[in-house]
Amino acid sequence: MTNRYAVILAAGQGTRMKSKLYKVLHPVAGRAMVQHVIDQLNTVKLDKMVTIVGFGAEKVKDQIGQASEFVVQDEQLGTGHAVLQSEALLKDKEGTTIVACGDTPLIKGETYQALFNHHEESGAGTTILTAKTDNPAGYGRVLRNETNEVERIVEHKDASEGELLVNEINTGTYCFDNQALFAALQEVSNDNVQGEYYLPDVIEIMRNQGKKVSAFLTPDFEETLGVNDRVALAEAEKTMKKRINEKHMRNGVAIIDPDHTYIEPDVVIESDVIIHPGTIIKGTTIIKTNAEIGPNSEISNCSIGEATIVKQSVANDSKIGDRVKIGPFAHIRPDSTIGHDAKLGNFVEIKKTELGDNSKVSHLSYIGDAEVGSNVNIGCGTITVNYDGTNKFLTTIEDDAFIGCNSNLIAPVKIGRGSYVAAGSTITENVPEEALSVARARQTNKEGYVTNLKNRKRD
Ligand code: UD1
Ligand code: CA
């Protein structure tokens, strides 16, 4: 088996993005472009992966973490110069090196694998991954001779009018015989319109050295999109969204309007889940069978149980049980656990709260820093008063308790099992089990008050 190495080019600032963020960190489906490239390359067994990052690109290094070794390219003098920065790590090794760009986030692992296989079977010095498109503007063009062999690549900016008509493009991904690559890179000059050391010039150099140059034409141009500006970024997002949604639909998920459903790559959804339009599902969310999500909901890093319904709501970093009804317009904030058969209705906000099975908070309440047992009913307008401006305090509501409407529970406080809190109470002390607590001013009716007032005015 041939040794396999990868070099990922990720040092460019990306001037055409007009952004302070390094180009390769712009997210597609919530994940940095360069991370997509690394993840897909990692589906191929590699002996070494080296990412070329720009000077001061700490955020790029942070993103890459342990996934790849990296080398800094102090000045961005071109893609050829970028690959040369990995010389010390790779130059003497025997095997195949794939060079991939950090701004082509849609290329699939299987395409990288097919390119490696094609290259190694053909015994070429280099194999270029190419694609055909009706709109090749901006890409390097693949120039072939009369016998259809690849002669060289010309950059858009250096191309003649005739060359611009060529519709086969360089995707920016190549396999090389590793040692031949570093030998050829020594000969690359910057004698071109952009004054850069172009990696594609290696093709012509190798050809002149009598090495076989091969091209592997992928049928899917869409996959090879290079993201240089925000227009292409939106296009990549669209393609990735379609790819992810189709995967889920093939697995039995009903997505009512795939054009308006946004699911990040790590989300797991079981069959027979229904997803309504305008729904965004992020991070490591897991959704169990028969759940129904949306419309217009945003779920991030949650687990959602079987047959649970979430309508027009937001949920983050929480665990939600089976057959729960959420929304419309509920907000579940981090570290909450919602039991089976629970209900969170209109304009309810829950934070860092454990809500037991079959408990209900149906309307207009804030429940934060609370431990709520099972079969608890929390009336409309209840507030756990959890914050004194400095510290947060716990509210405990035991099983079967009933909290009347418009109550303030001033934490730390405990409402005992099976007790009642009368509507409008401001509870400052613990309520014993099975007790009724009334904590509000007693009502006084002043009989005839209005009549007297009216009579006085008439006099
Ligand atoms: C490049 C190719 C072009 C190809 C296209 C495919 C060259 C000269 N041109 O053009 O033939 O059709 O990709 O998308 O290679 N980078 C560095 N250091 C540098 C310059 C670039 O690391 O000094 C990185 C960038 O971060 C980027 C990648 O290399 O990830 C490609 O560079 P970019 O400037 O986007 O090249 P293109 O003009 O798109
Ligand atoms: Ca590019």
Side-chain angles (χ1 to χ4, degrees), residues 16 23 79 101-104 138-139 171-172 225-229:
R16 289 166 282 184
K23 175 164 73 173
T79 49
C101 291
D103 67 350
T104 53
Y139 291 94
T171 65
L225 176 79
V227 175
N228 295 324
D229 60 20

Side-chain angles (χ1 to χ4, degrees), residues 163-456:
E163 288 165 344
L164 287 176
L165 297 176
V166 172
N167 69 352
E168 187 181 7
I169 59 109
N170 169 28
T171 65
T173 308
Y174 328 71
C175 274
F176 296 98
D177 171 85
N178 182 65
Q179 292 175 351
L181 167 64
F182 286 96
L185 277 173
Q186 307 299 330
E187 294 184 33
V188 172
S189 81
N190 63 353
D191 181 16
N192 52 54
V193 170
Q194 302 190 81
E196 287 183 3
Y197 295 88
Y198 291 161
L199 176 63
D201 285 0
V202 163
I203 311 299
E204 194 180 7
I205 292 165
M206 282 197 177
R207 202 180 148 80
N208 291 340
Q209 290 171 342
K211 296 203 166 62
K212 185 175 169 187
V213 171
S214 179
F216 179 64
L217 177 70
T218 160
D220 186 8
F221 167 72
E222 204 178 50
E223 193 184 320
T224 67
L225 176 79
V227 175
N228 295 324
D229 60 20
R230 308 261 188 180
V231 176
L233 185 66
E235 206 169 308
E237 184 78 41
K238 199 171 167 185
T239 305
M240 189 66 85
K241 176 180 66 181
K242 183 164 180 273
R243 191 185 286 177
I244 293 170
N245 287 347
E246 285 180 0
K247 177 191 82 177
H248 290 296
M249 290 188 279
R250 291 209 173 84
N251 287 341
V253 176
I255 299 182
I256 306 299
D257 183 357
D259 287 339
H260 300 97
T261 301
Y262 308 82
I263 304 173
E264 289 187 359
D266 290 335
V267 171
V268 175
I269 310 178
E270 294 185 354
S271 66
D272 290 320
V273 166
I274 301 172
I275 300 179
H276 294 281
T279 295
I280 303 170
I281 309 175
K282 299 176 168 180
T284 54
T285 297
I286 298 177
I287 302 174
K288 299 274 191 179
T289 188
N290 290 321
E292 202 169 332
I293 314 291
N296 303 323
S297 295
E298 186 171 339
I299 316 278
S300 194
N301 303 316
C302 287
S303 75
I304 296 191
E306 272 186 49
T308 282
I309 296 173
V310 180
K311 284 184 180 170
Q312 281 106 340
S313 291
V314 174
N316 296 307
D317 304 288
S318 292
K319 198 168 174 297
I320 298 160
D322 299 340
R323 300 170 303 279
V324 175
K325 290 194 173 63
I326 292 170
F329 315 115
H331 186 185
I332 299 173
R333 291 173 51 204
D335 300 323
S336 297
T337 304
I338 312 299
H340 302 314
D341 303 291
K343 183 174 179 221
L344 299 173
N346 317 251
F347 308 107
V348 167
E349 177 178 340
I350 293 268
K351 188 214 76 172
K352 205 175 178 187
T353 284
E354 219 169 281
L355 187 76
D357 292 351
N358 204 35
S359 286
K360 296 184 171 49
V361 192
S362 296
H363 338 262
L364 297 150
S365 291
Y366 170 65
I367 308 296
D369 301 298
E371 280 173 19
V372 181
S374 54
N375 301 309
V376 168
N377 190 82
I378 296 183
C380 178
T382 297
I383 295 171
T384 54
V385 184
N386 60 330
Y387 188 44
D388 65 2
T390 313
N391 296 306
K392 302 275 166 72
F393 299 97
L394 181 74
T395 300
T396 306
I397 305 175
E398 294 186 336
D399 296 350
D400 306 312
F402 183 97
I403 313 296
C405 292
N406 203 27
S407 296
N408 300 310
L409 309 176
I410 306 209
V413 75
K414 181 165 155 187
I415 313 298
R417 191 184 52 75
S419 62
Y420 289 3
V421 169
S425 290
T426 291
I427 300 292
T428 53
E429 286 163 34
N430 291 349
V431 177
E433 285 185 12
E434 310 254 329
L436 164 67
S437 181
V438 188
R440 63 186 184 217
R442 185 172 280 281
Q443 181 170 339
T444 42
N445 291 340
K446 302 198 171 173
E447 297 270 357
Y449 179 90
V450 178
T451 320
N452 293 344
L453 196 68
K454 282 181 188 162
N455 291 342
R456 231 180 291 148

Side-chain angles (χ1 to χ4, degrees), residues 46 86 116 120 173 205 431 448:
L46 295 169
S86 65
F116 265 115
E120 286 163 6
T173 308
I205 292 165
V431 177

